[in-house]
């Protein structure tokens, strides 16, 4: 069968630190993979390699049957692979709406000859989806941490991703905000109301330390430890795996 997303043998060293070694996994359309592990395990490095922001020293990446290992980040976006960062850095003095419209200018959207009005409508649609439409004209600098996270997701959504990579989307969110965002992500995966492409649903790779929320969303969990895959499987099996409890979950609870 054709591969929707596949990475294999990904490795990256920073100076003396082997941040990632031989990491690989496959993903199906609309599948949600949770990526967990202790601080420094290599999660962010893996997702930055997937987004094209860090070049792997070894390994390769396939997306919709294309080898994207050396493809620039913006070309990956134009193919439908988008992500958000662990730390959001909006254009602080611009309104929320403008922050989303900037992201809309990805080739994926522009290629179809859609201009300002369409971008504005698309940006508003994305803001509505994440519950930020009321703040469209507010400068990004005055958003709360939770609102900033949702702005990041709106920016990513406006490029019509088929694979969305999220690095700690729930970090800094209170319980209500976390629930809201988790519901939006579940809806995004199922597809439906949001635009034409999303009606087919969206696959996701979610890095997260908030395990309870992640377990509700993820079909599968991959555990990284010292840059390598320690375990992979269904959420309920992985969290009971003694190696995972010892390396990560024990420490999280303590
Ligand atoms: N740009 C960089 N330069 C040097 N070392 C780096 C760089 N990025 C990551 N590292 C190192 O690589 C290792 C993996 O880091 P990474 O950020 O991928 O971990 P993580 O699993 O995302 O951790 P966290 O849960 O704290 O976000 C760490 O030892 C980190 O210090
Ligand atoms: Mg990280």
């Amino acid at each position: 069968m054709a591969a929707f997303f596949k990475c294999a043998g990904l490795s990256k060293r920073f100076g003396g630190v082997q941040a990632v070694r031989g990491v690989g996994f496959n993903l199906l359309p609309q599948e949600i993979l949770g990526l967990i592990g202790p601080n420094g395990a290599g999660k962010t490095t893996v997702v930055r390699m997937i987004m094209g922001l860090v070049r792997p020293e070894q390994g390769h990446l396939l997306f919709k049957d294309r080898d994207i290992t050396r493809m620039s980040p913006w070309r990956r976006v134009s193919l439908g692979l988008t992500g958000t960062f662990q730390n959001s850095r909006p254009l602080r003095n611009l309104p929320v709406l403008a922050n989303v419209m900037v992201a809309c200018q990805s080739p994926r959207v522009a290629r179809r000859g859609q201009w300002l009005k369409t971008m504005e409508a698309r940006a508003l649609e994305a803001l509505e989806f994440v519950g930020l439409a009321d703040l469209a004209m507010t400068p990004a600098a005055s958003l709360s941490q939770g609102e900033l996270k949702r702005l990041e997701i709106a920016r990513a959504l406006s490029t019509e991703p088929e694979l969305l990579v999220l690095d700690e989307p729930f970090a800094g969110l209170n319980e209500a905000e976390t629930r809201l965002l988790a519901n939006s992500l579940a809806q995004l995966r199922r597809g439906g109301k949001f635009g034409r492409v999303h009606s087919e649903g969206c696959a996701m790779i979610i890095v997260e330390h908030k395990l309870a929320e992640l377990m509700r969303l993820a079909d599968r969990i991959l555990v990284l430890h010292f840059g390598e895959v320690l375990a992979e499987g269904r959420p309920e099996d992985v969290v009971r795996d003694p190696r995972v409890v010892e390396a990560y979950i024990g420490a999280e609870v303590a």
Side-chain angles (χ1 to χ4, degrees), residues 38-45 47 86 167-168 207 209:
N39 293 120
K43 306 178 297 295
T44 293
T45 307
V47 295
Q86 190 165 352
D167 198 351
E168 301 201 22
V207 174
H209 286 288

Side-chain angles (χ1 to χ4, degrees), residues 225-245:
H225 189 41
F226 294 122
E228 297 184 71
V229 176
L230 178 70
E232 180 180 359
R234 293 188 307 168
E236 57 271 33
D237 297 333
V238 163
V239 294
R240 282 198 214 98
D241 185 324
R243 294 168 307 166
V244 178
V245 172

Side-chain angles (χ1 to χ4, degrees), residues 15 19 25 50 54 86 113 115 136 156-157 175 184 200 228 233-234 242 253:
F25 55 89
I50 292 170
V54 167
Q86 190 165 352
W115 299 96
L157 286 186
E175 255 181 57
S184 303
E200 300 301 320
E228 297 184 71
R234 293 188 307 168
V253 172

Side-chain angles (χ1 to χ4, degrees), residues 124-144:
L124 262 174
E125 205 179 15
L127 285 173
E128 263 160 30
F129 184 85
V130 300
L132 279 186
D134 289 348
L135 298 176
M137 298 319 290
T138 306
S142 56
L143 296 188
S144 71

